[in-house]
Amino acid sequence: MSDIWNKLERNLAAAGDRRILSLFDDPERFGTFSAETDGMLLDISKTNIDGDALSLLIRLAETTGVAKKRDAMFRGEKINVTEDRAVLHTALRAPASDPLMVDGKDVRPPIAETLRRMERFAEDIRSGWITSSTGQSFTEVINIGIGGSDLGPAMAVRALAPFHDGPRCHFISNVDGADAADTLRDLDPRRTLVVVASKTFTTIETMTNANTVLKWLRAALGEGAVSHLAAVSTALDKTADIGIAPDRVFGFADWVGGRYSLWGPVGLPIMLAVGPEGFCEFLSGSHALDRHFQDAPLNQNLPVLLGLVGIWHRNICNYPTRAVLPYDQRLARLPAYLQQLDMESNGKGVTIDGQDLPRPSGPVVWGEPGTNGQHAFYQLLHQGTEVVPAEFLIAAESHEPDLMEHHDLLKANCLAQSEALMIGRSFETAKEIAAGLGFDGDERQVQAAHRTFEGNRPSVTLAYPKLTPFTLGQIITLYEHRVFVEGVIWGINSFDQWGVELGKELANALLPMVRGAPAQGKDASTRGLLRKLSG
């Protein structure tokens, strides 16, 4: 396998100063370096990957066992070896047909039953069959969670705004009291349903926020407050302690990781907002991409190709970050969602067998929607000293036909940015522009330097017909499997997250000190900050 890595490095070195644009001398490049499924097209042609490099990257995927590990995941084998768990978020969106055995039990019937329970509950809330303690219908939903119990549903609810026909959804996640205070300020407790999402019902941020919201409800409703509660949890004893009826508690198995959980009960706010039919379309889009990932040949497989581009940029080109740039305002939270999905999954420094990684793993993932980002950080993308691979997302059609001029301008900007990153502007062209502005002599040279764009900066573009529940399911699942592909190639476990634990442990130990206990055993910086923050 090291031979493939070496050949990839030699391929880049041999390319030298080759321009990406020159690769389009091949009239078939776009067709060869793009792939499509169910109307979604991934274009990787604006990268410096040539035919030989792509062949080597495909061999790398084959040699590292991407297909074998993929099939093991879908079979329910325990590929999360550090926690001895299967990885089966894919089962949450699959049809309830063939048995799927984990530890000798078929997991499909309980998944289907939980989905049916969610659907009944959501329809009863949406129709007004289930009312508040005051006999009014619920018009507001507050979801209290953090991490995967917040980022996924919050992102998806915002993305699917054109399909909302249920109660309005709000999200509280940060333990900062401002989050709860600002959310509750304008809501009517008499018409608010609260969903507490915590598998163990012990997550300190979530339970602190839940207690605050429960006090808010009780202040207005007294004991009737408990009829305004539902939970996403497996801790039935703890949910019962605060009075949540068992038929309003929805759980999921330990083979569903938090950042992969919006396909099940964690997605209850999505279902409440768009209805069971819309939620099932969301699952269908995801399952369709699952099937594509399983069935398409590697050289036409969207998650594999996107993952291989990621490997090329991170390990061969040594680019430390990637920017996710949705030209779709309703996908404003997608970059934040992908930060967790990618960086919590692949931000690892050791292989599955505990050895130090021989090369860098997950990049820093960041981004904002276009065109806003163009007026914020694109300066760095175009002329900064670091090359940042860009990932554009754009729909052919918007949900606002009467605002077509907006969407045409949006599409033009998206395509222009990827083109500008690639072609740049030469110093000679910049000198002509400076001359046209009246500059001459040394000043012309200086002005031209400022107006020169190096170009040759890579990007990929994901184009889709329209942002619908089906399409959103496709997009999220594409990125899930991209993370999987990269993790397999790096030889890491993408499904644990031990890196989040140490800070939690230290926070629990520091809380008494924040409240005035002696800061024993702490370093001078921490002691000094405790004094400063003591008020």
Side-chain angles (χ1 to χ4, degrees):
M1 185 168 59
S2 60
D3 182 53
I4 300 175
W5 288 107
N6 291 336
K7 287 181 178 178
L8 283 165
E9 290 168 357
R10 289 199 294 271
N11 176 279
L12 181 66
D17 295 329
R18 180 182 66 195
R19 308 288 294 180
I20 296 171
L21 185 61
S22 72
L23 295 171
F24 287 90
D25 292 344
D26 175 5
E28 302 300 320
R29 179 165 176 83
F30 175 77
T32 305
F33 286 80
S34 63
E36 189 169 359
T37 181
D38 285 317
M40 176 176 287
L41 180 138
L42 176 67
D43 172 24
I44 65 169
S45 64
K46 289 192 182 80
T47 67
N48 219 332
I49 299 172
D50 59 21
D52 290 339
L54 183 58
S55 296
L56 287 167
L57 288 165
I58 295 292
R59 280 180 54 197
L60 184 64
E62 293 169 341
T63 304
T64 52
V66 166
K68 181 179 179 181
K69 196 74 168 281
R70 172 200 65 198
D71 295 343
M73 176 176 70
F74 279 95
R75 284 194 303 267
E77 295 182 19
K78 294 183 178 181
I79 65 170
N80 179 355
V81 294
T82 59
E83 298 179 297
D84 193 33
R85 292 175 180 172
V87 176
L88 274 178
H89 51 280
T90 55
L92 297 177
R93 59 239 192 173
S97 51
D98 297 337
L100 180 57
M101 309 304 290
V102 176
D103 293 329
K105 297 179 180 179
D106 185 0
V107 303
R108 294 208 189 275
I111 291 172
E113 174 57 24
T114 299
L115 181 60
R116 284 193 292 269
R117 290 181 57 230
M118 289 171 61
E119 290 173 342
R120 287 195 297 268
F121 179 68
E123 269 308 325
D124 287 347
I125 292 291
R126 286 161 51 85
S127 68
W129 179 257
I130 292 179
T131 62
S132 72
S133 61
T134 62
Q136 299 169 287
S137 60
F138 287 106
T139 59
E140 316 292 334
V141 174
I142 298 174
N143 185 82
I144 304 174
I146 198 166
S149 297
D150 168 76
L151 283 166
M155 177 273 294
V157 165
R158 179 167 183 167
L160 298 179
F163 300 90
H164 289 189
D165 57 4
R168 295 189 305 167
C169 292
H170 314 268
F171 296 87
I172 298 175
S173 57
N174 200 325
V175 75
D176 184 344
D179 198 5
D182 290 349
T183 302
L184 298 177
R185 181 174 295 117
D186 297 322
L187 297 184
D188 181 355
R190 296 169 299 176
R191 309 201 70 172
T192 300
L193 175 73
V194 176
V195 179
V196 183
S198 172
K199 183 183 286 189
T200 62
F201 242 55
T202 58
T203 309
I204 189 166
E205 298 96 334
T206 298
M207 298 319 299
T208 300
N209 281 325
N211 288 331
T212 295
V213 175
L214 187 54
K215 289 177 184 177
W216 175 74
L217 287 173
R218 283 177 173 156
L221 305 169
E223 290 307 308
V226 295
S227 65
H228 289 237
L229 300 178
V232 175
S233 179
T234 56
L236 288 173
D237 54 339
K238 292 182 173 63
T239 58
D241 285 345
I242 61 173
I244 304 178
D247 63 351
R248 293 192 180 190
V249 181
F250 306 90
F252 54 97
D254 64 5
W255 33 257
V256 178
R259 57 193 175 277
Y260 298 92
S261 62
L262 80 168
W263 313 106
V266 166
L268 182 60
I270 309 171
M271 186 182 286
L272 287 165
V274 305
E277 185 175 344
F279 188 78
C280 287
E281 279 294 302
F282 176 59
L283 298 183
S284 295
S286 177
H287 180 62
L289 208 290
D290 282 340
R291 293 304 304 267
H292 170 78
F293 182 44
Q294 291 175 277
D295 297 340
L298 298 187
N299 66 350
Q300 286 295 303
N301 193 304
L302 269 66
V304 172
L305 291 173
L306 191 56
L308 294 178
V309 170
I311 293 292
W312 171 263
H313 287 152
R314 183 71 184 101
N315 297 119
I316 307 305
C317 302
N318 295 314
Y319 302 145
T321 80
R322 64 171 64 123
V324 178
L325 309 169
Y327 275 66
D328 198 319
Q329 181 61 25
R330 293 187 175 108
L331 289 177
R333 293 294 289 162
L334 181 67
Y337 173 78
L338 295 180
Q339 281 179 347
Q340 186 199 22
L341 176 65
D342 202 315
M343 296 168 69
E344 193 168 83
S345 296
N346 286 346
K348 310 289 172 61
V350 297
T351 62
I352 284 178
D353 58 5
Q355 302 301 308
D356 290 343
L357 279 175
R359 55 187 54 85
S361 60
V364 174
V365 178
W366 58 285
E368 282 287 330
T371 57
N372 292 27
Q374 293 176 200
H375 295 267
F377 52 80
Y378 278 41
Q379 169 64 43
L380 184 146
L381 297 187
H382 286 288
Q383 292 184 308
T385 56
E386 291 286 345
V387 174
V388 179
E391 300 183 358
F392 296 96
L393 295 90
I394 183 70
E397 183 182 352
S398 77
H399 288 277
E400 292 75 34
D402 55 331
L403 298 175
M404 187 65 69
E405 63 198 86
H406 287 256
H407 199 63
D408 287 346
L409 185 58
L410 186 74
K411 287 190 285 188
N413 271 273
C414 179
L415 299 180
Q417 291 298 327
S418 67
E419 183 183 27
L421 285 168
M422 177 176 67
I423 66 174
R425 178 191 288 155
S426 71
F427 183 68
E428 290 304 314
T429 300
K431 281 200 298 183
E432 293 175 7
I433 293 172
L437 294 171
F439 296 105
D440 57 19
D442 290 344
E443 185 62 19
R444 178 184 174 190
Q445 299 290 108
V446 171
Q447 292 291 335
H450 286 285
R451 288 168 169 78
T452 298
F453 293 75
E454 179 184 76
N456 214 34
R457 301 195 173 203
S459 68
V460 301
T461 299
L462 184 69
Y464 45 92
K466 192 174 187 177
L467 186 59
T468 64
F470 186 91
T471 303
L472 182 64
Q474 289 178 295
I475 292 171
I476 298 170
T477 305
L478 168 64
Y479 276 93
E480 283 183 350
H481 294 324
R482 182 259 194 92
V483 167
F484 173 88
V485 169
E486 292 178 348
V488 172
I489 291 173
W490 285 320
I492 61 181
N493 181 7
S494 298
F495 301 102
D496 61 13
Q497 55 280 330
W498 300 112
V500 305
E501 299 300 323
L502 180 58
K504 290 181 181 180
E505 295 170 11
L506 293 176
N508 289 334
L510 274 163
L511 186 57
M513 302 176 196
V514 169
R515 291 171 173 166
Q520 295 178 346
K522 295 298 177 183
D523 60 89
S525 171
T526 301
R527 292 196 306 271
L529 290 169
L530 281 167
R531 287 193 300 271
K532 179 65 177 177
L533 295 172
S534 65

